[in-house]
Amino acid sequence: MMITFTFILTLMQLLLINPTEAAVHPVLTYKNASTQLGQMVTSSTLVWESYDAKDAKQLQFAVEGGKYITEDEHYAIYVCRVPIDGVHTSGHTEKVLQKHVCVASHYKHGKYEAFDVLMNKGHLGKIGWKHWRKFDAGVPVGAIRIGDDSFIGRHRASRQHNAEGGETHWGADFNLGRLEPVGLGKIKVIENEREKYYDDGEVLIETEPFRYELRDIKLDRIRTDIRENLTELTTAKLENLGDKYSTVETVMSYSFDYLQYWGSHEGVARGLPTKIYEKDVSQPADINWALKHGQKRFENKAVHTKLWPGTAINVTLRGNYVTLEAPYTAKLFAFYYGSDESVSRKISAEVRKSYLKDVKLEFSAVYWIENGTVVPTTTTTTTSTTSTTTHATTTSTKEPTPINEPPLVHIEHMGEKHSGPDTLEKTLHDSPSSSNEVNSHHEAPENMSNPSKDLAVAGFGGGPNSGAEMLGRTLMTVVLTGLMASILNL
């Protein structure tokens, strides 16, 4: 009985457990440190990710290595790698029924179900195949390392001629292999089940952007959180040390921290210079992506009033220090050296800003400098009259006469003004409700081809919540329920 219960509980736990995320490994690319030396640098947009046959959406970010063509099928193949005898070996994917396998570029030429796929997360890495020949100087800048001292390369597959003399080809249009930079270098692939070496071919390179721009920013109004904290900025004393009624003034200076953080996003290089174009702002803000940007801001206020001799007044400046946090959608533009075109994509992230607004003046009652007592502001005169049949007597009692009525204290801003409602806060009042719609993380860049367009032909069904899986879960639940009822009736 106990064994049966244990079995049922274990089975239910296995059914309810969430699918594990695919393992991710960094990608190294080749960079020139000088004319004589090179170094390997971790890519900010590419990763090796373990293949998950259950994730129908995984390959939409995979780097395409060519096409697989048969009489009945035509689909994309992707760059993959497998460990063989402890060494990572590159290859390309092929479709087998409802999943993919990695065809390794190795003399064993095996087809592996467990492998890594090269992923361009967010499609913000600029990936391309660059022509290479052995007389070129060394390894191309941006070449992607497989795992040892070789780099991802490919060579066009040989073509056959049909009876009419035209070229035909079935299978992968490129043989994916590796560039071995020994000596002048060579590209090694598997062709017709045999290893072949070529003096030319193509090498996969990544061109990283040198800067970003963030535009068309829209906040999610429903999930925006604004917290205000009334803060004392500075205090001062206005005093009249002269001998006549006159104007006294002072300049009050204060500072505050202006902070902004625009979040991070998959496939976007951390720390890259980024310009933030907010609505109704003349100059964009300069930040480094995914890093908090803070600056100390200073402001000056001129405060003045009229006081009688020997009196003073205390003044205090207070303001609301605001912290705004909100999800947002925007377009991120990536710019590359040697190209006038940018790659743009709609992204979703979270912004956090801290700033100062609503600076106001508070002041005390007027007081005597000598003893600190408050100067009276009203006159009290008491007159009593007593009448008799013989005479009348009048007496008068006066309280201290006030020197002046309550003063008018004026405040004027001096220099550049940095406080006030933030631009993002202002946009909340005129943002349409449609701005609450959060864009899909899987949308491809607008000016790049969509690498996921061949997924349907590749034989993938729905996602993890597809109808078949939901039906399977429902049937299993019915079976377990019946089994449990039977056991309880024993």
Side-chain angles (χ1 to χ4, degrees):
M1 187 74 171
M2 180 60 68
I3 296 176
T4 307
F5 270 119
T6 304
F7 170 75
I8 293 175
L9 291 175
T10 304
L11 185 57
M12 292 179 68
Q13 289 174 350
L14 290 174
L15 286 172
L16 295 175
I17 192 170
N18 292 326
T20 57
E21 292 186 358
V24 173
H25 310 282
V27 167
L28 297 179
T29 61
Y30 181 84
K31 303 294 182 183
N32 279 342
S34 68
T35 56
Q36 297 178 339
L37 300 176
Q39 62 180 355
M40 302 306 300
V41 178
T42 302
S43 170
S44 57
T45 58
L46 300 178
V47 293
W48 289 107
E49 188 174 288
S50 58
Y51 173 66
D52 183 2
K54 298 179 181 179
D55 186 357
K57 296 182 178 180
Q58 182 185 31
L59 293 181
Q60 64 187 321
F61 289 136
V63 175
E64 188 173 312
K67 300 290 184 183
Y68 194 91
I69 305 168
T70 68
E71 190 173 359
D72 301 321
E73 294 180 301
H74 184 171
Y75 60 85
I77 59 177
Y78 303 106
V79 179
C80 60
R81 71 173 186 179
V82 290
I84 300 179
D85 299 330
V87 178
H88 280 109
T89 302
S90 60
H92 67 268
T93 62
E94 286 185 8
K95 184 188 68 172
V96 176
L97 299 177
Q98 298 300 311
K99 60 183 180 180
H100 283 72
V101 296
C102 181
V103 181
S105 177
H106 192 269
Y107 70 91
K108 295 181 180 179
H109 204 55
K111 295 185 177 181
Y112 298 83
E113 295 184 356
F115 57 90
D116 293 334
V117 186
L118 184 63
M119 310 294 284
N120 180 12
K121 289 296 188 179
H123 298 303
L124 284 173
K126 191 175 182 181
I127 311 299
W129 293 95
K130 182 177 181 179
H131 183 265
W132 174 91
R133 57 178 187 158
K134 69 177 182 179
F135 300 106
D136 294 338
V139 178
V141 175
I144 299 169
R145 187 177 179 181
I146 299 171
D148 49 9
D149 293 329
S150 59
F151 301 84
I152 298 172
R154 72 178 185 180
H155 191 271
R156 184 173 289 278
S158 58
R159 298 176 180 272
Q160 295 80 33
H161 291 80
N162 55 27
E164 290 77 20
E167 289 188 344
T168 61
H169 176 78
W170 302 122
D173 58 353
F174 281 92
N175 294 315
L176 270 73
R178 62 181 182 270
L179 166 65
E180 295 182 348
V182 179
L184 292 178
K186 54 191 174 183
I187 287 183
K188 178 181 177 181
V189 298
I190 296 295
E191 190 173 292
N192 298 325
E193 308 296 327
R194 299 179 58 187
E195 290 185 346
K196 293 201 67 175
Y197 296 88
Y198 288 94
D199 293 335
D200 65 344
E202 296 179 351
V203 177
L204 185 62
I205 64 170
E206 175 197 15
T207 304
E208 290 194 334
F210 66 92
R211 71 178 182 91
Y212 295 123
E213 288 184 2
L214 195 68
R215 296 176 179 268
D216 300 338
I217 302 166
K218 295 180 180 179
L219 297 188
D220 184 338
R221 290 188 296 171
I222 295 178
R223 294 191 289 165
T224 296
D225 179 32
I226 298 180
R227 300 184 299 275
E228 298 185 5
N229 180 28
L230 187 61
T231 304
E232 182 178 305
L233 303 173
T234 185
T235 60
K237 180 169 72 171
L238 295 174
E239 55 184 355
N240 187 351
L241 301 176
D243 55 1
K244 61 181 180 180
Y245 180 68
S246 61
T247 299
V248 293
E249 61 183 350
T250 189
V251 175
M252 303 178 70
S253 301
Y254 57 91
S255 65
F256 62 94
D257 293 320
Y258 180 81
L259 306 174
Q260 57 181 324
Y261 172 67
W262 290 87
S264 60
H265 194 277
E266 202 170 40
V268 184
R270 184 182 180 90
L272 214 61
T274 305
K275 290 186 177 294
I276 308 294
Y277 287 86
E278 297 183 50
K279 185 178 179 181
D280 299 329
V281 173
S282 57
Q283 292 294 328
D286 292 308
I287 68 164
N288 295 95
W289 183 259
L291 300 180
K292 293 181 181 179
H293 178 76
Q295 59 182 137
K296 185 74 73 174
R297 293 188 168 183
F298 298 88
E299 288 186 342
N300 298 311
K301 304 284 189 184
V303 182
H304 61 90
T305 188
K306 288 188 174 182
L307 294 175
W308 288 92
T311 64
I313 190 172
N314 296 328
V315 292
T316 302
L317 292 181
R318 301 183 190 272
N320 279 323
Y321 195 67
V322 183
T323 299
L324 181 150
E325 296 182 4
Y328 72 91
T329 60
K331 281 187 180 179
L332 186 73
F333 294 78
F335 295 84
Y336 302 86
Y337 287 115
S339 174
D340 295 332
E341 295 183 355
S342 64
V343 175
S344 63
R345 181 174 185 268
K346 196 171 183 181
I347 68 168
S348 300
E350 289 193 3
V351 61
R352 181 165 63 251
K353 275 192 170 186
S354 296
Y355 52 93
L356 182 71
K357 71 172 186 178
D358 300 337
V359 177
K360 296 180 180 179
L361 174 70
E362 296 179 5
F363 53 92
S364 68
V366 181
Y367 60 90
W368 297 105
I369 298 175
E370 183 177 353
N371 55 21
T373 58
V374 175
V375 176
T377 57
T378 58
T379 302
T380 303
T381 302
T382 304
T383 303
S384 60
T385 304
T386 303
S387 300
T388 64
T389 55
T390 56
H391 63 276
T393 303
T394 302
T395 61
S396 177
T397 304
K398 277 195 171 184
E399 297 292 332
T401 304
I403 293 181
N404 65 308
E405 296 297 323
L408 294 177
V409 183
H410 302 275
I411 180 172
E412 296 177 3
H413 191 80
M414 299 178 61
E416 189 173 357
K417 187 175 182 180
H418 298 291
S419 62
D422 187 78
T423 307
L424 290 180
E425 183 180 343
K426 293 179 182 178
T427 59
L428 292 173
H429 303 295
D430 55 7
S431 296
S433 57
S434 60
S435 65
N436 297 330
E437 182 179 344
V438 178
N439 182 67
S440 169
H441 289 271
H442 306 303
E443 183 181 333
E446 296 178 352
N447 47 355
M448 293 181 68
S449 59
N450 187 351
S452 62
K453 61 184 177 182
D454 297 311
L455 286 182
V457 222
F460 281 91
N465 293 323
S466 62
E469 183 171 342
M470 292 299 292
L471 179 59
R473 287 178 177 269
T474 303
L475 291 174
M476 184 59 71
T477 302
V478 172
V479 171
L480 288 175
T481 304
L483 182 59
M484 181 67 77
S486 299
I487 294 173
L488 294 175
N489 289 330
L490 291 179

